[in-house]
Amino acid sequence: MVCNGGEMSLEITLWRCATNTTIRHFERTMDEFKDFSAEAHEWLSKIPPVHWAMSHFSGRAHSDCLLNNLCEVFNSKLEHGREKPIITCLEALFCGSGKYQVTSMMFDQYVVNLKEGTCSCRYREITGIVCRHVVCAIWEHIQNGEKAQQPEYWVQHGGKYPINGRSMWPKSRCPTTLKPPTHHTQVGRPKKKRRRAIDEPTNQSKNLSRKFLTFTCSKCHNKGHNSRTCKGKGGQVRD
């Protein structure tokens, strides 16, 4: 067989089988490969094409490399990490496109998207408050020297919206009548005084407290006690 003015070898035909991008071209090249060696064709046919032929690849990897040269180079650079499990070698935090993989204290993993301000734990979507996974990704983003918004930026900003009057309210389609809950009298005497704030003064009346007043006895006219506790002597004599 001749290809571009030269003889086509078994190796070239094998590479054509591996690099063809369509199944029709793959099948035709495999027939040519069978003409070179029926025994090699039978051995190669037992290997699923999804493992070595580009015509059967899904396209998810987006790679034109069919060799393991990259793996061999990567393996040659691993001196202290060869004995580590593969998950440790491949574990990453930043995944590109503003997405982070965050591992929590209980070894649960969540996907954080800083562009959209979302997390797969759905805490922010439900409460409007930034979850700890987003905060972790933001600080990692800043430590890498990249610009990122502060955590307060991701807090959901709510507001008070106007509402229509009762005449504009839609009619309820609830099949049952909603009644208020049954009233239960609480145990004990009900409180009449309102609960004061922490920084609110306790004395709100116009009358002054008698705590720091000096009393004068009506019997001996001395200061420091009253007539009920008078013993004929007391403090300073009244002038």
Side-chain angles (χ1 to χ4, degrees):
M1 301 182 66
V2 179
C3 180
N4 295 331
E7 184 178 357
M8 182 178 295
S9 63
L10 180 65
E11 181 181 359
I12 295 177
T13 308
L14 176 60
W15 274 108
R16 287 186 58 196
C17 295
T19 57
N20 281 330
T21 57
T22 65
I23 297 179
R24 182 67 186 90
H25 288 83
F26 168 79
E27 294 175 349
R28 184 171 57 187
T29 311
M30 283 292 289
D31 294 337
E32 298 176 359
F33 183 75
K34 186 177 181 180
D35 295 338
F36 281 99
S37 175
E39 183 179 358
H41 178 271
E42 182 180 359
W43 175 84
L44 188 61
S45 300
K46 296 179 181 180
I47 304 176
V50 294
H51 298 317
W52 61 276
M54 296 182 64
S55 58
H56 292 71
F57 288 175
S58 63
R60 182 176 59 89
H62 297 288
S63 176
D64 190 38
C65 184
L66 291 175
L67 301 175
N68 62 342
N69 294 346
L70 296 177
C71 299
E72 295 296 336
V73 174
F74 178 74
N75 187 39
S76 64
K77 301 299 181 182
L78 294 178
E79 297 181 1
H80 304 287
R82 291 183 179 179
E83 297 180 355
K84 293 183 178 181
I86 189 64
I87 186 61
T88 305
C89 297
L90 298 180
E91 195 171 30
L93 184 63
F94 179 67
C95 304
S97 301
K99 295 182 180 180
Y100 283 81
Q101 175 182 298
V102 180
T103 304
S104 65
M105 298 177 60
M106 302 303 296
F107 300 101
D108 291 332
Q109 293 181 355
Y110 299 94
V111 178
V112 175
N113 191 334
L114 288 183
K115 289 185 177 180
E116 300 179 359
T118 59
C119 179
S120 57
C121 73
R122 298 185 65 247
Y123 183 81
R124 179 182 180 272
E125 287 80 348
I126 297 175
T127 64
I129 303 174
V130 182
C131 65
R132 55 187 176 182
H133 312 114
V134 175
V135 175
C136 179
I138 291 174
W139 288 118
E140 179 70 18
H141 199 72
I142 296 175
Q143 289 179 358
N144 292 334
E146 302 180 18
K147 294 182 179 180
Q149 300 289 348
Q150 296 297 325
E152 293 78 7
Y153 172 81
W154 303 104
V155 177
Q156 185 69 30
H157 300 285
K160 297 181 179 179
Y161 298 96
I163 59 175
N164 294 319
R166 297 186 60 178
S167 60
M168 298 291 293
W169 290 358
K171 293 184 178 181
S172 176
R173 297 182 179 179
C174 184
T176 59
T177 302
L178 300 180
K179 296 182 179 181
T182 305
H183 175 71
H184 297 280
T185 304
Q186 301 296 329
V187 179
R189 180 181 297 178
K191 295 182 179 180
K192 296 183 178 179
K193 295 183 179 180
R194 64 179 179 85
R195 184 174 298 177
R196 303 182 186 273
I198 298 177
D199 56 348
E200 186 177 359
T202 57
N203 188 7
Q204 296 291 332
S205 62
K206 296 181 180 180
N207 299 327
L208 297 177
S209 175
R210 304 177 64 185
K211 182 177 181 181
F212 301 101
L213 295 179
T214 303
F215 299 98
T216 303
C217 180
S218 60
K219 292 182 179 180
C220 63
H221 303 290
N222 291 327
K223 296 181 181 293
H225 66 278
N226 54 23
S227 60
R228 291 183 301 174
T229 59
C230 179
K231 297 180 180 180
K233 58 181 179 178
Q236 181 181 0
V237 179
R238 181 179 178 184
D239 296 337

